[in-house]
């Protein structure tokens, strides 16, 4: 009986091998992006491209599995299973799901190695088809502090790209022969978008098909035959091939006939001088302009505008529930960690609402002992009073500070604080850097909610006789409801 079973197993195995040879699995994909092993890539957006699909004659590409794993332990941190459409050969982080140790995240960890994996599924043999072997490529995520290039392969025709000055007016290139131009390109990879002078009254716009591969954005301005080309500080606004709104911010340009100038563009849209040879890699050592907001918007449909600036360690923000409509009317407040509350008007003007709210010198190593002070803020809708949370010092105590909540009242329409009163005070609850009293909010029940950190200890959070590691619900005078 054992010999019969063994012979049967050998027959079945031989038949499986013959079937596999008759319908070979699809060829292992070729990963073209990342374009080489150990390429440095932004941890926020990894372009993954592979192909083409190679199967048996007449075999169709059904779907693809994509994964990103840790390179040595092979732990999957991002996945997209059996994706179809264009995602079979071209996919981004936003098209998949972060799992395992990165579950719930929206980006990879900066400054570490990962590997991307992909396999293709064909429709032969029927009915379930078969999978290719996995292709893999190692890559490195750029450190969080590094400047990364804006990487593109296409510019959408909708909405129409625009070249504008800082006030939003269209910039018209002067006439000349040959015509002056402003070109967005992947250096050595092709043109993405080009503005050309027509007759000095309008620009022609050339938007070629998508490039074969992504690459760092490079901008070239050519004076052509114009006697003098003068462009004020400007921006090129467009939507990329992935649906993300982009803006490139260029410095003033002044060229004579026959001259040209080139820039590398950072991920946030700032321009950097390019004085290298044609094959040079992006160089972000010489900034020529900067984006009003020094970071990139990753989700389509969002636009970030700078409203106010010049804050020192801003921690929290509280909008006035029913602000007036004038440009000089108060709109919101900002707490600064080292003891000030700033007022911001609708026009973006910043002024002091209250200063010197701490009774100790909060400066110190940051992060570290300088990581404490004034934190939470909320506006009481009826009175317009502000509640602010902070820590304070006690005489002869140097290792800890203690939590309190202060109510601040204004007599000039919320522009400055005229008086303040402590409504909560805990002189027996020592707190340390960072793990201090922080967020304040007013609930739908009209009560004040106060978040108090654990003071770097876990035991007080489990002690109902301590306020540390708790959220307190109190009346506006600090009493218990």
């Amino acid at each position: 009986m054992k010999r019969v079973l063994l012979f049967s197993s050998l027959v079945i195995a031989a038949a499986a091998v013959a079937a596999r040879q008759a319908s070979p699995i699809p060829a292992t994909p070729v990963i073209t992006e990342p374009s080489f092993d150990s390429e440095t890539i932004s941890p926020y957006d990894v372009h993954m491209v592979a192909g083409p699909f190679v199967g048996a004659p007449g075999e169709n590409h059904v779907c693809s599995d994509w994964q990103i794993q840790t390179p040595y332990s092979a732990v999957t941190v991002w996945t997209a299973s059996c994706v179809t459409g264009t995602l079979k050969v071209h996919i981004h982080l936003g098209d998949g799901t972060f799992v395992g140790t990165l579950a719930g995240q929206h980006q990879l960890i900066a400054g570490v190695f990962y590997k991307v994996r992909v396999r293709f599924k064909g429709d032969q043999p029927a009915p379930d088809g078969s999978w290719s072997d996995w292709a893999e490529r190692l890559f490195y995520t750029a450190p969080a502090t590094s400047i990364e290039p804006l990487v593109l392969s296409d510019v959408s025709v909708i909405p129409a790209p625009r070249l504008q000055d800082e006030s939003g007016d269209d910039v018209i290139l002067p006439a000349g022969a040959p015509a002056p131009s402003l070109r967005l390109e992947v250096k050595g990879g092709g043109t993405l978008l080009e503005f050309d002078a027509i007759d000095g009254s309008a620009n022609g716009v050339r938007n070629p098909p998508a490039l074969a591969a992504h690459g760092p954005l490079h901008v070239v301005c050519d004076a052509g035959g114009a006697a003098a080309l003068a462009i004020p500080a400007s921006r090129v606004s467009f939507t990329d091939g992935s649906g993300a709104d982009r803006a490139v911010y260029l410095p003033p340009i002044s060229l004579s006939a026959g001259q040209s100038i080139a820039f590398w563009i950072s991920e946030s849209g700032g321009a950097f001088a390019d004085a290298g040879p044609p094959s040079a890699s992006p160089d972000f050592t010489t900034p020529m302009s900067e984006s009003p907001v020094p970071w990139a918007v990753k989700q389509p449909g969002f636009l970030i505008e700078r409203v106010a600036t010049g804050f020192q360690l801003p921690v929290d923000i509280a909008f006035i529930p029913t602000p007036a409509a004038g440009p000089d009317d108060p709109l919101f407040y900002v707490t600064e960690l080292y003891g000030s509350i700033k007022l911001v008007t609708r026009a973006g003007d910043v002024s002091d609402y209250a200063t010197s709210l701490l009774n100790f010198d909060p400066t110190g190593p940051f992060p570290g002992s300088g990581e404490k002070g004034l934190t939470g803020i909320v506006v009481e809708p009826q009175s317009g009073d502000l509640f602010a949370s902070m820590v304070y010092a006690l005489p002869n105590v140097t290792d800890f500070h203690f939590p309190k909540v202060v109510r601040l009242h204004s007599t000039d329409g919320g522009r400055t604080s005229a008086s303040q009163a402590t409504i909560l005070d805990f002189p027996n609850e020592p707190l340390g850097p960072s793990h201090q009293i922080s967020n304040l909010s007013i609930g739908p029940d009209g009560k004040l909610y106060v978040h108090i950190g654990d003071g770097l200890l876990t035991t007080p959070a489990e002690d109902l006789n301590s306020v540390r590691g708790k959220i307190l619900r109190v009346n506006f005078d600090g009493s218990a409801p």
Side-chain angles (χ1 to χ4, degrees):
M1 178 63 71
K2 290 181 180 180
R3 291 179 180 176
V4 172
L5 289 176
L6 178 60
F7 176 75
S8 300
S9 300
L10 291 173
V11 170
I12 293 172
V17 171
R20 181 183 178 93
Q21 292 173 344
S23 299
I25 64 174
T28 304
V30 176
I31 297 175
T32 56
E33 293 189 42
S35 55
F36 56 88
D37 276 328
S38 301
E39 181 179 4
T40 299
I41 296 174
S42 169
Y44 304 98
D45 189 18
V46 179
H47 299 277
M48 294 166 277
V49 180
F53 175 80
V54 178
E59 187 174 8
N60 297 307
H61 188 179
V62 176
C63 64
S64 300
D65 278 353
W66 294 88
Q67 294 179 350
I68 294 178
Q69 294 184 339
T70 55
Y72 307 113
S73 55
V75 174
T76 300
V77 296
W78 177 93
T79 183
S81 298
C82 204
V83 292
T84 59
T86 58
L87 301 184
K88 291 187 293 187
V89 294
H90 182 179
I91 197 167
H92 297 254
L93 291 179
D95 300 314
T97 303
F98 284 88
V99 296
T101 56
L102 295 186
Q105 300 299 308
H106 301 282
Q107 65 192 59
L108 299 172
I109 297 172
V112 299
F113 278 100
Y114 290 99
K115 64 180 176 183
V116 59
R117 310 176 75 226
V118 60
R119 63 176 183 172
F120 290 165
K121 184 178 183 180
D123 59 4
Q124 300 296 328
D128 297 325
S130 59
W131 288 97
S132 71
D133 292 330
W134 287 96
E136 297 185 346
R137 174 151 288 168
L138 193 69
F139 67 93
Y140 181 74
T141 54
T145 55
S146 67
I147 298 175
E148 289 300 300
L150 177 55
V151 177
L152 298 175
S153 64
D154 191 23
V155 172
S156 175
V157 297
I158 301 175
R162 299 188 67 181
L163 172 60
Q164 300 168 295
D165 61 21
E166 291 181 316
S167 63
D169 295 328
D170 289 331
V171 174
I172 306 301
L173 301 175
S181 64
L182 182 74
R183 182 174 72 255
L184 278 63
E185 65 178 15
V186 171
K187 203 171 186 179
T191 298
L192 293 159
L193 179 71
E194 185 170 345
F195 296 90
D196 295 298
I198 299 178
D199 55 7
S201 62
N203 295 328
V205 180
R206 186 169 69 93
N207 192 336
L211 303 180
H214 294 84
L217 182 60
H218 189 247
V219 173
V220 179
C221 184
D222 192 334
L229 174 64
I231 300 177
S234 60
R235 69 176 181 268
V236 182
S237 303
F238 59 92
T239 299
D240 69 18
S242 299
D245 295 329
R246 303 288 189 181
V248 172
Y249 298 88
L250 300 175
I253 297 173
S254 180
L255 300 173
S256 301
Q259 290 185 325
S260 64
I261 190 171
F263 308 96
W264 290 109
I265 306 301
S266 71
E267 191 173 31
S268 63
F272 291 76
D274 174 26
S279 61
S281 298
D283 183 353
F284 297 114
T285 58
T286 308
M288 303 298 292
S289 66
E290 64 176 8
S291 165
V293 179
W295 58 82
V297 184
K298 294 303 178 182
Q299 291 89 352
F302 289 90
L303 176 67
I304 295 179
E305 297 178 349
R306 177 175 287 177
V307 175
T309 189
F311 301 102
Q312 182 192 32
L313 297 177
V315 178
D316 206 351
I317 185 172
F319 279 87
I320 296 171
T322 54
D328 296 328
D329 289 318
L331 181 61
F332 61 88
Y333 301 93
V334 178
T335 54
E336 295 181 330
L337 184 64
Y338 286 171
S340 297
I341 299 176
K342 299 292 187 181
L343 164 69
V344 181
T345 66
R346 281 190 179 273
D349 296 325
V350 181
S351 60
D352 289 331
Y353 175 84
T355 61
S356 303
L357 294 176
L358 303 179
N359 69 340
F360 65 97
D361 180 5
T363 59
F366 190 93
S369 61
E371 218 176 338
K372 54 189 171 184
L374 171 65
T375 50
I377 189 173
V378 70
V379 181
E380 200 273 303
Q382 282 69 42
S383 65
D385 287 355
L386 272 64
F387 292 92
S389 60
M390 66 196 75
V391 291
Y392 69 97
L394 285 177
N396 303 318
V397 178
T398 59
D399 294 335
F400 300 100
H401 291 86
F402 302 86
K404 70 175 181 179
V405 176
V406 172
R407 181 170 187 158
L408 300 105
H409 178 70
S410 172
T411 58
D412 60 359
R415 298 182 183 277
T416 59
S417 170
S419 62
Q420 56 180 279
T422 299
I423 66 162
L424 282 178
D425 181 13
F426 301 103
N428 297 314
E429 299 280 7
L431 297 176
S434 183
H435 296 236
Q436 65 162 86
I437 187 171
S438 54
N439 189 61
L440 298 177
S441 60
I442 296 175
D445 56 359
K447 303 302 179 183
L448 181 66
Y449 287 78
V450 182
H451 169 275
I452 301 182
D454 58 16
L456 295 172
L457 298 171
T458 57
T459 52
E462 299 177 342
D463 182 359
L464 294 182
N465 294 313
S466 170
V467 300
R468 286 176 286 172
K470 309 290 192 302
I471 296 175
L472 308 183
R473 175 176 177 265
V474 300
N475 297 315
F476 289 149
D477 62 0
S479 62

